[in-house]
Amino acid sequence: MNQDQIIYEKAKKIVNRNHWTVFFIVLIYFITFYLIFQLKFMEQVQFAIHSVLIASFLSELCLYGLLFTLLSTGKKFARWLYSLGNLYSFALLFIPAYYLINDYFHIIPYIIWIVALFIKNIGLLKYGGYLRNNRWAKVYYDHEIEIEDDEDIENYYLKSKNKTKDEEPFTLPQLCLRLGICVYGSLLVFPIFMQIFASLFESNDLQSVFAIKDMFLFCIYSAVIWTIPIFLFYYSHPFSKKSVGLCFILECVRILFYAKTLFQYFTQNLYPVRVYIFFIIVDIIRYILILISIYPIFKKEE
């Protein structure tokens, strides 16, 4: 790799890491605000805003998930789309403002909603400035490299130049260990997590919790199918990379089959909407951890 390629790869790594860190922070913000608002303020408001609150939060999560995915491609137009996304976020301030005007006897919850949204939007707006002005972001999006003005970038190039070209970040046995820890650790961690926060997954009559049992079964299913690539990784088998694709197909089959059961819960009105949202988010996090653990294999040649 020449000097420009090394610097570009470094910029790509740093910028994309920041993208998903910000998205994770936004996700935690929405979950935290929803829980606080539901526990402390939902009964104080005059209007039935529960569905509106969830819809606005989900729309922003989907929007920024898409925007950060586009930003991770390094395309310049993605920054303009991110700016449009910020305009959408600011436009959502009109929702609590509307309720504030029509329910001025209960202004505290709406003011808190407005302030929380405004702070979040300012933070995302600042991140847009980072995408335009940061030295690594300029390298990644604008391909502007001014190495003579940046000792850190130059030092990184000099260090990278001394590495061997055939050096790989992980061997297959190392990926075996990563995947094993992730899959079998999830079998322990996620069911315990669901048990600790069982109150978030209770039915409307407070008599049943489907999430604990189902999450445990999901983790067992994943542990069984991902055992195949774990063994293949350990023996550096040529089929290792293809086995990963096969496991993802089997995971998709499981998701499609379970979607029917989840839909039945929903249509029978057994659980509040928040239960499905939290359950899906936890399952997504589980798959993200699996993907992170095996990501280096996609960089390996057959």
Side-chain angles (χ1 to χ4, degrees):
M1 296 177 67
N2 60 33
Q3 177 181 355
D4 290 353
Q5 288 175 321
I6 291 173
I7 295 173
Y8 179 81
E9 290 299 322
K10 175 66 174 180
K12 178 180 179 180
K13 179 179 179 181
I14 292 176
V15 174
N16 285 340
R17 181 182 61 199
N18 290 338
H19 289 340
W20 297 113
T21 299
V22 171
F23 182 74
F24 181 74
I25 293 173
V26 171
L27 176 62
I28 296 300
Y29 157 83
F30 282 131
I31 295 175
T32 303
F33 180 80
Y34 175 80
L35 291 176
I36 293 175
F37 201 88
Q38 186 186 45
L39 294 175
K40 299 294 184 180
F41 303 113
M42 195 64 73
E43 296 180 355
Q44 301 179 19
V45 298
Q46 176 181 345
F47 302 103
I49 65 173
H50 184 266
S51 299
V52 176
L53 187 67
I54 292 177
S56 63
F57 283 0
L58 285 179
S59 68
E60 283 203 87
L61 279 177
C62 293
L63 173 65
Y64 282 103
L66 175 62
L67 290 176
F68 284 129
T69 300
L70 292 175
L71 286 169
S72 64
T73 64
K75 301 299 183 182
K76 203 170 183 178
F77 74 89
R79 291 187 301 187
W80 291 100
L81 293 178
Y82 180 85
S83 299
L84 293 176
N86 286 338
L87 291 178
Y88 174 79
S89 294
F90 276 100
L92 290 180
L93 287 169
F94 287 101
I95 296 177
Y98 169 81
Y99 288 114
L100 176 64
I101 295 172
N102 292 276
D103 185 18
Y104 51 83
F105 292 107
H106 306 91
I107 65 173
I108 299 299
Y110 305 119
I111 290 178
I112 292 176
W113 188 356
I114 292 173
V115 171
L117 281 179
F118 185 77
I119 293 174
K120 183 264 299 177
N121 291 345
I122 292 297
L124 291 174
L125 194 63
K126 290 287 186 180
Y127 189 69
Y130 161 85
L131 295 176
R132 293 188 299 271
N133 302 319
N134 180 266
R135 60 187 180 182
W136 294 112
K138 286 183 177 180
V139 172
Y140 191 39
Y141 295 106
D142 302 317
H143 306 287
E144 295 180 1
I145 301 176
E146 299 177 356
I147 195 166
E148 68 275 9
D149 296 331
D150 198 318
E151 293 182 0
D152 291 338
I153 294 180
E154 186 172 6
N155 290 335
Y156 176 78
Y157 166 67
L158 293 175
K159 291 178 182 178
S160 300
K161 189 177 180 181
N162 294 327
K163 295 183 179 180
T164 58
K165 294 183 179 179
D166 298 327
E167 182 181 3
E168 294 183 347
F170 293 99
T171 62
L172 284 175
Q174 289 173 329
L175 288 178
C176 166
L177 179 61
R178 284 163 57 99
L179 181 59
I181 292 174
C182 176
V183 171
Y184 300 126
S186 297
L187 186 58
L188 175 66
V189 173
F190 281 89
I192 292 177
F193 173 85
M194 304 297 277
Q195 183 67 54
I196 293 174
F197 296 96
S199 60
L200 297 177
F201 303 96
E202 291 178 339
S203 59
N204 290 319
D205 59 5
L206 305 180
Q207 298 299 314
S208 60
V209 179
F210 79 90
I212 298 175
K213 176 185 175 182
D214 290 4
M215 182 57 66
F216 182 64
L217 292 175
F218 292 174
C219 292
I220 291 177
Y221 178 86
S222 295
V224 170
I225 65 173
W226 286 101
T227 296
I228 299 173
I230 286 175
F231 276 107
L232 295 179
F233 289 175
Y234 182 77
Y235 291 105
S236 299
H237 195 279
F239 192 69
S240 298
K241 192 171 184 179
K242 294 180 180 178
S243 68
V244 171
L246 175 62
C247 287
F248 275 118
I249 292 174
L250 293 175
E251 291 284 10
C252 290
V253 171
R254 195 275 303 168
I255 292 173
L256 291 175
F257 272 101
Y258 185 74
K260 181 179 179 181
T261 301
L262 199 64
F263 183 73
Q264 288 177 347
Y265 286 142
F266 182 79
T267 54
Q268 294 172 5
N269 198 28
L270 297 175
Y271 295 87
V273 177
R274 73 168 190 278
V275 171
Y276 306 109
I277 296 174
F278 292 148
F279 184 76
I280 292 173
I281 289 175
V282 172
D283 206 28
I284 290 174
I285 292 174
R286 193 170 63 87
Y287 283 119
I288 289 175
L289 293 176
I290 293 176
L291 184 60
I292 291 174
S293 69
I294 63 170
Y295 178 73
I297 199 173
F298 297 113
K299 297 182 179 180
K300 290 180 176 290
E301 297 182 1
E302 295 289 349

